[in-house]
Amino acid sequence: MRRIAVLASGNGSNLQAILDHLDRQGSSAPAQVMLVISDRADAYALARARRRDLAATHLSRSAPEGALESLLDEYQTDLVVLAGYLRLVPAPVVRRWTGRMLNMHPALLPAFGGHGMYGHRVHEAVLAAGARLSGATVHFVSEQFDRGPIIAQWPVPVHLDDTADTLAERVLRVEHRLFPWCVDAVARGTVTLGADGRVHGTLPYDFARFGVEGPRHPFVPDE
Ligand code: GRF
């Protein structure tokens, strides 16, 4: 049973989706969330963890160098999941968990990504660019912000009358279905990061298989 630590700065709806997914897997779940860490003491993600008697730790921005790594070690963490975590993860931690650290980005990377591109800023940039398609991207974390090898993406249409709020809500619904399956696949080892720096294995929700030509995958959001 792989041990997961989730880092979240905000509401924690992706955390919740992962917890619910693993619950649904029951005894066949490949992993369990042991620890939730937030850089914000008032993050609702911590409340979600406490509600399930999970370790929930506020790691303030002024925490000493190495505090995060010590905490991950204390809980013998196999997999680190960044679910709306707004801090840069220290490079030594990223290096140590290479191929075992995932992030969710609310756009189709590499577009609309990079430093400072998070939360509503992403959706505002998509609308400002007049893009007709946004989406969700799950990727392995590398030392360059939002530039790690991509595990899975799913498109989300942009409506002409969208605001950052309406687009964010539509993308978030897709995130909640895509992220748990990516975490599950990496925990099971059916998706791996090769020494060549590329993703290998069977992709969860491979859009290429269920794309516009393919059967209407049940996952396609009801748009
Ligand atoms: C999500 O939109 C995610 O894509 C981004 O931050 C947000 C986190 O939302 N990284 P929540 O805290 O999981 O509800």
Side-chain angles (χ1 to χ4, degrees):
M1 177 70 81
R2 316 284 276 167
R3 300 164 62 89
I4 298 175
V6 177
L7 279 58
S9 300
N11 174 32
S13 68
N14 272 289
L15 162 68
Q16 192 64 54
I18 291 164
L19 290 170
D20 296 346
H21 170 88
L22 293 173
D23 285 349
R24 282 193 299 272
Q25 300 293 311
S27 59
S28 67
Q32 67 181 81
V33 176
M34 310 303 295
L35 167 65
V36 175
I37 300 171
S38 183
D39 55 315
R40 297 185 180 174
D42 62 346
Y44 193 61
L46 293 177
R48 293 179 191 270
R50 292 190 184 106
R51 207 167 44 212
R52 298 174 60 116
D53 296 327
L54 296 178
T57 303
H58 167 226
L59 201 60
S60 85
R61 301 177 178 208
S62 55
E65 185 74 21
L68 174 60
E69 188 165 2
S70 306
L71 198 51
L72 294 175
D73 277 334
E74 184 185 337
Y75 283 84
Q76 299 158 322
T77 304
D78 297 304
L79 220 52
V80 180
V81 172
L82 308 186
Y85 188 64
L86 301 182
R87 308 279 297 150
L88 200 61
V89 176
V93 178
V94 172
R95 279 195 291 273
R96 216 178 122 192
W97 273 270
T98 295
R100 299 184 295 146
M101 185 180 291
L102 289 79
N103 181 52
M104 163 63 82
H105 185 76
L108 295 178
L109 291 176
F112 306 111
H115 203 67
M117 288 301 278
Y118 56 83
H120 263 48
R121 291 183 180 183
V122 175
H123 306 296
E124 279 152 10
V126 168
L127 295 174
R132 287 284 149 260
L133 204 57
S134 189
T137 300
V138 182
H139 62 95
F140 285 113
V141 175
S142 71
E143 291 179 58
Q144 276 182 299
F145 220 66
D146 289 342
R147 298 306 302 265
I150 292 173
I151 297 169
Q153 293 185 299
W154 201 269
V156 172
V158 180
H159 295 179
L160 286 177
D161 59 353
D162 260 331
T163 63
D165 284 337
T166 57
L167 179 56
E169 195 279 329
R170 192 173 311 118
V171 173
L172 198 58
R173 272 212 318 267
V174 166
E175 293 175 35
H176 292 164
R177 289 187 247 185
L178 192 65
F179 208 5
W181 279 105
C182 291
V183 172
D184 188 295
V186 173
R188 271 180 218 283
T190 51
V191 165
T192 58
L193 179 62
D196 58 359
R198 301 177 68 80
V199 176
H200 297 274
T202 307
L203 298 183
Y205 290 111
D206 180 353
F207 187 70
R209 279 195 300 125
F210 299 107
V212 287
E213 311 81 34
R216 186 172 170 71
H217 190 279
F219 176 70
V220 177
D222 43 355
E223 285 305 338

